[in-house]
Amino acid sequence: MGKIKILIADDEPDILDFLKYNLEKEDYQVFTTIDGEQAFNIAKSEQPDLVILDIMMPKLDGVEVCRMIRNDIVLKDTLVAFLTARNEDYSQIAGFEVGADDYITKPIRPRVFIARVKALIKRKSIDTSTEDILQVGDLIVDSSRRIVKVKNEVIELPKKEFEFLVLLASKPGRVFTRDEIYFKIWGDEVIVSERTLDVYVRKIREKIGEGFIKTVKGIGYKLDF
Amino acid sequence: MGKIKILIADDEPDILDFLKYNLEKEDYQVFTTIDGEQAFNIAKSEQPDLVILDIMMPKLDGVEVCRMIRNDIVLKDTLVAFLTARNEDYSQIAGFEVGADDYITKPIRPRVFIARVKALIKRKSIDTSTEDILQVGDLIVDSSRRIVKVKNEVIELPKKEFEFLVLLASKPGRVFTRDEIYFKIWGDEVIVSERTLDVYVRKIREKIGEGFIKTVKGIGYKLDF
DNA sequence: ATGATTTATTAATGTTAAGTTAAGAATTTA
DNA sequence: TAAATTCTTAACTTAACATTAATAAATCAT
């Protein structure tokens, strides 16, 4: 997984350098430009995760760049944050109308700024990471709703049972070794007894039916398909 | 869902035909008129999604029509765009003062024009979809009125309780993690205690009934449906 | 077949997350 | 500014979930 890309557009080189320095220290890949037109071009070519725009810029102002990003099929879900002077109320409204994700007010405090950027990026990853629905034969595993369906009947599983089933369902048919399962569900810190896994298998089978999880003796388990 | 309605008012029949032709090709329903007075009448009767007004028109000019639309209880949220000659600076200002949503400068380039119209309409649909009325089973959450209805009984909730319920109702069934909820309701700056959220859940359940908000232990909450 | 090995089952016990209540701050409203 | 409402915390309880332990059943190897 490559670095997270951030594009900053501001006509004041000092601010540009300052933000770039702080972001690079946090291991982000930073692109900078001083005009709005170029900002959009870089956005198109680099597809950054986050674009930070000053409102006032030569050629194209921040609000307009944001609008262009929102109208671009590839870029439309890109995070956009505006840089704005405190009390610059008009721009606040205009920015949200074109779909800004956040406002960052000047003067910029580095630690607050970084926290904000991290929060934004985390928010995005939450939004997009929870959309997958897995289907294996009669079994449907819906991660965002945390439910399992067997023949249109909704079944709710406790946390670990659900995680275990998601793991198996992520690669139907593939055998997961006991060790692998322990590692992926419990992590390498927690050590539980040898028989714990069997208990989970029993409970899940009770709830979703006996046919799905298949024991591969001496190895582990798999989801039949 | 019917076609999107667009009303165009301009005193030059050539422009009217030209715009009508281009918009109908994109499957919009187009109404035209050459004077401002009639423009307002058609707006009243058809309630178009977008009104495109020439500034200079017989009887009533565009700015005045726009003002009337903005003062009309039914029409006040209608999108209004002005047609204006490039460099017609005065009107630009007057138009925004009366609440124009966009400017379209003559001469008109068809592709640019259509892109602009689409962008406007999309923007509106985004704006209004957030103040939508959400219905989940017996529960109705009306964001614009800030009320909740359960079986026709109106319930008013305090700010935070309401925001929390709106969040859950925005994606019924989807599980929101506790962290996500804290982040979205309180922001990343404010940190409240671990149990605060539970208290809100209790209060909302007391008011709207026990059946709606479902706990997903170890993860968060969701709105059942 | 039979003993060894691996997995299954069940009930009990431990642990953690969420629920509850009341009280005091902080706001808003009159 | 007093009153009322809303927000937050703290301490405690409850319920749900996770894990273990003990025993049974299945599978494998010789």
Side-chain angles (χ1 to χ4, degrees):
Chain A
M1 185 171 93
K3 285 186 186 180
I4 290 169
K5 295 179 183 177
I6 299 178
L7 166 63
I8 319 172
D10 195 308
D11 57 350
E12 295 170 68
D14 287 351
I15 292 193
L16 231 41
D17 290 345
F18 172 69
L19 296 181
K20 184 181 163 83
Y21 167 76
N22 279 287
L23 288 169
E24 285 181 342
K25 215 167 54 180
E26 296 293 323
D27 210 32
Y28 295 113
Q29 188 180 355
V30 181
F31 303 86
T32 58
T33 175
I34 54 164
D35 85 86
E37 206 166 85
Q38 210 188 337
F40 185 71
N41 293 335
I42 296 173
K44 284 290 275 186
S45 60
E46 295 295 337
Q47 292 171 232
D49 300 278
L50 168 62
V51 177
I52 299 172
L53 298 168
D54 189 27
I55 300 272
M56 308 288 277
M57 272 188 300
K59 291 187 192 169
L60 224 56
D61 76 12
V63 174
E64 199 50 42
V65 175
C66 180
R67 203 194 306 278
M68 288 165 73
I69 287 172
R70 290 286 176 255
N71 288 335
D72 186 285
I73 186 75
V74 177
L75 301 176
K76 69 181 199 308
D77 292 325
T78 307
L79 288 169
V80 176
F82 281 111
L83 285 175
T84 167
R86 208 178 289 279
N87 304 327
E88 215 179 308
D89 240 16
Y90 154 75
S91 49
Q92 191 114 351
I93 294 155
F96 270 120
E97 263 173 21
V98 292
D101 295 290
D102 199 7
Y103 268 87
I104 294 164
T105 52
K106 297 177 186 175
I108 291 159
R109 311 281 323 280
R111 300 192 53 174
V112 175
F113 171 69
I114 292 293
R116 205 112 178 201
V117 167
K118 282 186 178 167
L120 267 172
I121 285 167
K122 186 181 158 201
R123 170 147 59 111
K124 188 191 179 191
S125 70
I126 287 169
D127 281 358
T128 51
S129 69
T130 49
E131 286 299 328
D132 45 345
I133 295 172
L134 302 161
Q135 179 155 12
V136 186
D138 288 337
L139 187 74
I140 295 167
V141 181
D142 183 335
S143 295
S144 71
R145 289 167 209 276
R146 291 211 144 237
I147 56 169
V148 175
K149 282 191 193 177
V150 181
K151 291 167 191 160
N152 291 320
E153 200 198 345
V154 173
I155 296 157
E156 301 194 5
L157 300 178
K159 193 159 166 259
K160 286 248 158 61
E161 294 174 31
F162 190 80
E163 283 173 8
F164 177 39
L165 189 57
V166 167
L167 177 61
L168 293 188
S170 69
K171 297 203 171 189
R174 150 129 151 51
V175 181
F176 290 81
T177 67
R178 297 184 134 251
D179 280 355
E180 197 180 350
I181 295 165
Y182 276 122
F183 179 74
K184 290 202 167 138
I185 306 289
W186 279 267
D188 51 354
E189 320 263 288
V190 186
I191 293 159
V192 291
S193 95
E194 275 293 293
R195 301 270 59 77
T196 301
L197 190 49
D198 310 37
V199 177
Y200 278 98
V201 171
R202 169 90 300 270
K203 288 184 173 166
I204 297 171
R205 281 175 175 158
E206 246 167 29
K207 288 167 188 165
I208 69 170
E210 301 295 321
F212 298 103
I213 298 177
K214 187 151 194 180
T215 304
V216 181
K217 193 152 179 164
I219 314 287
Y221 299 92
K222 67 173 178 179
L223 199 66
D224 235 10
F225 76 118
Chain B
M1 186 172 94
K3 287 185 184 178
I4 290 169
K5 295 179 182 178
I6 298 177
L7 166 62
I8 319 172
D10 195 309
D11 57 351
E12 295 171 68
D14 288 350
I15 290 192
L16 230 42
D17 290 346
F18 172 69
L19 295 182
K20 185 181 162 86
Y21 166 76
N22 279 287
L23 288 169
E24 285 181 341
K25 216 167 53 181
E26 296 291 325
D27 211 32
Y28 295 111
Q29 188 179 356
V30 181
F31 303 87
T32 58
T33 175
I34 54 164
D35 83 85
E37 206 167 85
Q38 214 190 332
F40 185 71
N41 293 335
I42 296 172
K44 283 289 276 186
S45 60
E46 295 294 337
Q47 291 171 233
D49 299 277
L50 167 62
V51 178
I52 299 171
L53 298 169
D54 189 27
I55 300 274
M56 308 289 276
M57 272 188 299
K59 291 185 191 170
L60 225 56
D61 77 13
V63 174
E64 198 50 43
V65 176
C66 181
R67 202 192 309 276
M68 287 165 72
I69 287 172
R70 289 287 176 255
N71 290 332
D72 185 285
I73 186 76
V74 178
L75 301 177
K76 67 180 198 313
D77 292 325
T78 307
L79 286 170
V80 175
F82 282 112
L83 285 174
T84 167
R86 206 178 292 280
N87 303 328
E88 216 178 306
D89 242 14
Y90 154 75
S91 50
Q92 189 115 353
I93 293 152
F96 270 121
E97 263 170 20
V98 292
D101 295 291
D102 200 7
Y103 269 88
I104 293 163
T105 51
K106 296 177 188 175
I108 290 159
R109 311 282 322 281
R111 301 193 51 173
V112 175
F113 172 69
I114 292 294
R116 205 109 179 201
V117 167
K118 283 186 176 165
L120 268 171
I121 285 167
K122 187 183 157 203
R123 172 146 58 111
K124 187 194 180 190
S125 72
I126 289 166
D127 281 358
T128 51
S129 69
T130 52
E131 64 185 71
D132 228 356
I133 294 171
L134 302 160
Q135 180 156 11
V136 186
D138 289 336
L139 186 75
I140 295 167
V141 179
D142 184 336
S143 297
S144 59
R145 291 170 209 280
R146 296 207 137 244
I147 56 166
V148 175
K149 281 190 195 178
V150 181
K151 291 168 190 159
N152 293 319
E153 200 198 343
V154 174
I155 296 159
E156 293 191 24
L157 298 179
K159 188 158 162 271
K160 285 250 157 61
E161 294 174 31
F162 190 78
E163 282 174 11
F164 177 41
L165 190 57
V166 167
L167 177 60
L168 294 188
S170 69
K171 296 202 172 187
R174 146 120 149 58
V175 180
F176 291 81
T177 66
R178 295 186 135 246
D179 279 356
E180 198 180 349
I181 295 165
Y182 276 122
F183 179 75
K184 288 196 170 146
I185 307 287
W186 280 268
D188 54 347
E189 323 258 293
V190 186
I191 293 160
V192 292
S193 98
E194 276 291 292
R195 301 266 64 72
T196 301
L197 191 49
D198 310 41
V199 176
Y200 279 97
V201 170
R202 169 91 303 271
K203 293 196 166 151
I204 298 171
R205 280 175 176 159
E206 252 166 25
K207 288 168 188 165
I208 69 170
E210 301 293 321
F212 299 104
I213 298 177
K214 182 144 197 178
T215 305
V216 181
K217 205 166 171 163
I219 312 290
Y221 297 92
K222 67 178 174 180
L223 202 65
D224 233 9
F225 76 121

